Amino acid sequence: MKYDYLIVGAGLYGAVMAHELNKRGKKCLVIDRRSHIAGNIYCEEIEGIHVHKYGAHIFHTSNQKIWDYMNQFAEFNNYINSPIAVYKDELYNLPFNMNTFSKMWGIRTPQEVKEMIAKQVEEAGITEPKNLEEQCLSLVGRDVFEKLVKGYTEKQWGRDCKELPSFIIRRLPVRFTYDNNYFNDRYQGIPIGGYTAIAERMLDGIEVRTDTDFFTFCKENPDIAEKIIFTGMIDEYFGYRLGALQYRSVRFETEVLDCENYQGNAVVNYTEKEVPYTRIIEHKHFEFGKQEKTVISREYSSEWKVGMEPYYPVNDERNSKLYAEYRKLAEAEKNVVFGGRLGNYQYYDMDKVVEAALAKVEEIG
């Protein structure tokens, strides 16, 4: 046995595990099928701008322990996520707050907004929501649903809102204050210099091999490590023997524009179904860039197929049952730990990824 741990995936979960196990004196080998480390938080420098290659990542947490942990590896700026929504020729602030409602209905006070929402909820007449559309109508009424939820959600999930389970939006954050800060967390920001540098610091002194496929590598090196930490897709690990879990994938169209400032905000959502992309990211605004050019990425949501990059687990009833069956197989697998978004078939915010990795190290290390 050459290594104590083979860590499959050099994303945030794998990098935290490797860093912590290495600190405990364990010999780790990290492999990744991609040509780079940092997984989906990887940033590529273009025109002096840190481009979020796999979609926007904004670190936020209310857990001071996790915030302090991450600050070992980077200094964070004071970026506040305040997305804009575009519907036809109208602009709205997100999350739903007094700025949103004032623009939508021409009213100014929280009481007026509460009365308007209550009126529209009553008109919808839904007491037991059976799907996402009914759930939304019963929470915020028709105007907000039609303009800001329906088109975006149907593009994101590739399904009609009537076909989506209500639990996807069990609650909708509605604020009766003029506050555009998307997150309620105490700590928030973007690492100065981008996310890739965080992974580099976590993996400092640890052997890493990129462009390395786990399945091929293990056939050639069956006894390479005592234990495996697997952060890839749990169904792929088992050869899809029970069937493939469903994911949504995202395709990015990134381009350099010969202007200093394209849209005036880092994140602009397009909530009209007729617009094919879900949002446009202008990367320089994450770090308050003053570069002469700018880089934007349009995001197109699609159904995942084998060979594509999986992003969002489709946690409906069918997939949850299938995952539970894979989980049983995983628990029977000796000396393999399944972790991260794909290993646990669960969407995680970054702070929760770090938290889960630290908890797992305590358990096994």
Side-chain angles (χ1 to χ4, degrees), residues 140-351:
V140 291
R142 186 155 300 278
D143 288 349
V144 173
F145 171 70
E146 294 285 354
K147 291 189 175 186
L148 299 179
V149 177
K150 181 177 167 61
Y152 189 90
T153 304
E154 290 182 352
K155 286 190 289 188
Q156 180 92 350
W157 292 102
R159 292 155 176 80
D160 190 287
C161 283
K162 292 186 180 75
E163 296 169 16
L164 289 164
S166 59
F167 69 74
I168 291 179
I169 53 163
R170 192 160 282 146
R171 56 184 188 83
L172 273 173
V174 173
R175 292 186 190 154
F176 299 101
T177 58
Y178 289 89
D179 178 10
N180 297 324
N181 181 356
Y182 195 80
F183 300 118
N184 290 314
D185 290 311
R186 183 175 173 190
Y187 307 105
Q188 181 178 173
I190 300 281
I192 296 167
Y195 284 98
T196 307
I198 289 179
E200 284 169 352
R201 289 177 190 127
M202 286 179 175
L203 295 168
D204 186 38
I206 297 164
E207 188 179 345
V208 178
R209 299 185 199 178
T210 53
D211 294 304
T212 302
D213 176 73
F214 165 72
F215 302 99
T216 307
F217 183 78
C218 276
K219 272 183 194 166
E220 295 166 359
N221 305 276
D223 299 317
I224 193 78
E226 290 274 356
K227 292 181 180 173
I228 294 170
I229 293 165
F230 187 80
T231 72
M233 295 187 294
I234 189 168
D235 51 345
E236 185 184 22
Y237 179 90
F238 292 105
Y240 304 107
R241 73 172 76 155
L242 305 175
L245 290 162
Q246 288 180 300
Y247 298 87
R248 293 295 288 172
S249 192
V250 184
R251 177 174 63 83
F252 302 94
E253 280 183 4
T254 297
E255 60 178 309
V256 178
L257 300 178
D258 202 7
C259 65
E260 187 195 345
N261 186 353
Y262 174 71
Q263 63 186 17
N265 205 48
V267 182
V268 178
N269 291 1
Y270 286 79
T271 62
E272 207 183 334
K273 196 170 184 185
E274 288 66 31
V275 177
Y277 40 85
T278 53
R279 61 184 185 173
I280 297 179
I281 306 299
E282 187 168 10
H283 300 268
K284 73 189 306 178
H285 296 307
F286 289 128
E287 296 186 70
F288 317 110
K290 300 283 188 261
Q291 297 88 347
E292 288 182 7
K293 295 186 179 182
T294 193
V295 182
I296 65 166
S297 297
R298 292 182 181 85
E299 297 188 9
Y300 297 81
S301 185
S302 67
E303 203 70 15
W304 175 86
K305 294 182 179 67
V306 174
M308 294 169 75
E309 200 59 53
Y311 282 86
Y312 303 105
V314 181
N315 294 119
D316 59 14
E317 192 177 347
R318 172 191 167 274
N319 284 289
S320 296
K321 281 181 180 171
L322 183 55
Y323 168 68
E325 294 304 308
Y326 275 118
R327 191 75 233 165
K328 287 177 194 168
L329 294 179
E331 282 159 9
E333 198 78 357
K334 287 181 182 173
N335 300 320
V336 181
V337 172
F338 293 84
R341 178 177 53 95
L342 303 177
N344 288 326
Y345 195 63
Q346 184 179 344
Y347 180 78
Y348 286 108
D349 286 328
M350 283 181 285
D351 64 324

Side-chain angles (χ1 to χ4, degrees), residues 48-205:
I49 297 162
H50 294 110
V51 173
H52 295 215
K53 188 85 172 170
Y54 301 95
H57 285 82
I58 298 132
F59 196 88
H60 58 97
T61 188
S62 291
N63 186 330
Q64 189 177 346
K65 179 185 164 195
I66 300 302
W67 181 246
D68 292 343
Y69 183 83
M70 292 299 289
N71 274 265
Q72 298 176 90
F73 307 105
E75 183 183 352
F76 285 77
N77 67 18
N78 61 341
Y79 175 82
I80 299 294
N81 189 31
S82 305
I84 299 289
V86 175
Y87 176 79
K88 298 188 187 292
D89 58 352
E90 300 166 16
L91 277 176
Y92 293 99
N93 292 100
L94 297 175
F96 308 141
N97 68 70
M98 287 300 296
N99 288 309
T100 321
F101 305 130
S102 175
K103 177 74 180 283
M104 188 169 287
W105 294 317
I107 54 184
R108 285 195 334 205
T109 69
Q111 188 56 37
E112 287 174 299
V113 171
K114 287 177 182 177
E115 287 168 5
M116 179 64 85
I117 290 175
K119 177 174 174 284
Q120 292 200 2
V121 166
E122 187 180 351
E123 284 169 359
I126 296 159
T127 50
E128 290 183 27
K130 296 180 180 63
N131 54 53
L132 186 146
E133 178 169 318
E134 291 184 357
Q135 178 76 12
C136 192
L137 290 171
S138 71
L139 290 170
V140 291
R142 186 155 300 278
D143 288 349
V144 173
F145 171 70
E146 294 285 354
K147 291 189 175 186
L148 299 179
V149 177
K150 181 177 167 61
Y152 189 90
T153 304
E154 290 182 352
K155 286 190 289 188
Q156 180 92 350
W157 292 102
R159 292 155 176 80
D160 190 287
C161 283
K162 292 186 180 75
E163 296 169 16
L164 289 164
S166 59
F167 69 74
I168 291 179
I169 53 163
R170 192 160 282 146
R171 56 184 188 83
L172 273 173
V174 173
R175 292 186 190 154
F176 299 101
T177 58
Y178 289 89
D179 178 10
N180 297 324
N181 181 356
Y182 195 80
F183 300 118
N184 290 314
D185 290 311
R186 183 175 173 190
Y187 307 105
Q188 181 178 173
I190 300 281
I192 296 167
Y195 284 98
T196 307
I198 289 179
E200 284 169 352
R201 289 177 190 127
M202 286 179 175
L203 295 168
D204 186 38

